[in-house]
Amino acid sequence: MDKPITIYGVKLPLIEERCDLAQVIVDSARKQGLELEDGDIIVITCKIVSKALGLLVKLDDVKPSTRAMEIASRAGCDPRFIELVLRESDDVVAAIPVKRLAEEGLIPLYSYSKNPENVRRCLEKYPTMFLVTRDGSLWSDAGLDSSNHPPGVISIPPRDLDGVAKAIRDRINELTGKDVAVVISDTEIFLTGSLDFARGSYGIEPIERGFGEPDLYDKPKFGGVDAIVHEICSAAALMMRQTARGIPVVIIRGLDYERCECGYHDRVKMSSEGWVRILKHVLRETRRVLGLKNLLRMLLEFI
């Protein structure tokens, strides 16, 4: 019989400046009666990692460029925030008019809140969301985050999050002697809700490499490529939740996973050019298979 999988939330002290995050996690877990064990998976929110690395910016210290000011005037956003988005992006892919979509009832943001006035205030501050590529992944607003920070303070995700995960994992091993895996999670907003995704990992095979394996009837399966680290982050999010709950670290124990001296981006390698080429192939195949008329109709509907 498979052993149960247990999820433990770990509360941390308020982190406002650089610190040894691995030490804080180990000490906080012990205060809650938890000793780390071999095979544990430590899921850490990207925001806490940013805080521990000192990656906080005051908007008052940001001088927007001419391009940032032009984009901000069209998008209705703070040009200082736009400047940070441009600095932290490899490419800006799309501008999503979140405020307009909500006002037209195309996304039911107001029904997702207990206080519609709070929704209105958020949308006034951030009427447009930018989809960007950063280190080979898609991010909204380049991962910049102002929630649970003092007013005017923004946290910035670290670059090379696999390397950051490895450093934390190695430090935990140094402190405890335990062989754990580390996954760094981040919340992404979708039009119908939000999900937590892995942005970096180390010590765990991030993707189930089972494409084409035989199914129950011995046929090669079109699938079997579970994004293990994303699923782990979604499970951890049930404990972390949002706002001021104050659980930025989760320990997942009992999961049978493949150990790996690798990071997430060792398995998932994408670039801005790669995303563009994928889109080109999709459009070409749509035209070839479904016809030019159908492709034009689809594009006009989107426009």
Side-chain angles (χ1 to χ4, degrees), residues 94-99 101 107 126-131 140 189 191:
I96 303 172
V98 181
K99 182 172 181 286
L101 295 176
I107 53 174
Y126 299 107
T128 304
M129 183 173 70
F130 294 88
L131 185 65
S140 60
I189 300 171
L191 299 183

Side-chain angles (χ1 to χ4, degrees), residues 136-153:
S137 296
L138 290 172
W139 297 70
S140 60
D141 291 336
L144 304 178
D145 197 338
S146 63
S147 65
N148 295 321
H149 293 309
V153 175

Side-chain angles (χ1 to χ4, degrees), residues 190-205:
F190 289 88
L191 299 183
T192 55
S194 61
L195 286 171
D196 277 40
F197 287 86
R199 291 301 189 183
S201 67
Y202 208 84
I204 179 173
E205 181 63 58

Side-chain angles (χ1 to χ4, degrees), residues 31-42:
K31 286 179 181 177
Q32 295 174 218
L34 291 169
E35 289 289 341
L36 295 182
E37 298 180 2
D38 287 332
D40 282 351
I41 302 169
I42 317 299

Side-chain angles (χ1 to χ4, degrees), residues 162-236:
D162 287 343
V164 173
K166 182 180 187 301
I168 295 172
R169 179 246 202 174
D170 291 348
R171 177 65 174 146
I172 288 175
N173 179 261
E174 178 184 325
L175 293 168
T176 66
K178 302 302 181 182
D179 180 18
V180 303
V182 169
V183 180
I184 298 175
S185 70
D186 180 54
T187 303
E188 272 298 344
I189 300 171
F190 289 88
L191 299 183
T192 55
S194 61
L195 286 171
D196 277 40
F197 287 86
R199 291 301 189 183
S201 67
Y202 208 84
I204 179 173
E205 181 63 58
I207 304 294
E208 183 82 20
R209 294 180 292 172
F211 192 91
E213 291 296 305
D215 66 8
L216 292 175
Y217 296 93
D218 203 31
K219 308 188 309 295
K221 185 176 181 180
F222 196 93
V225 194
D226 290 352
I228 301 297
V229 289
H230 294 323
E231 293 171 341
I232 286 169
C233 289
S234 291

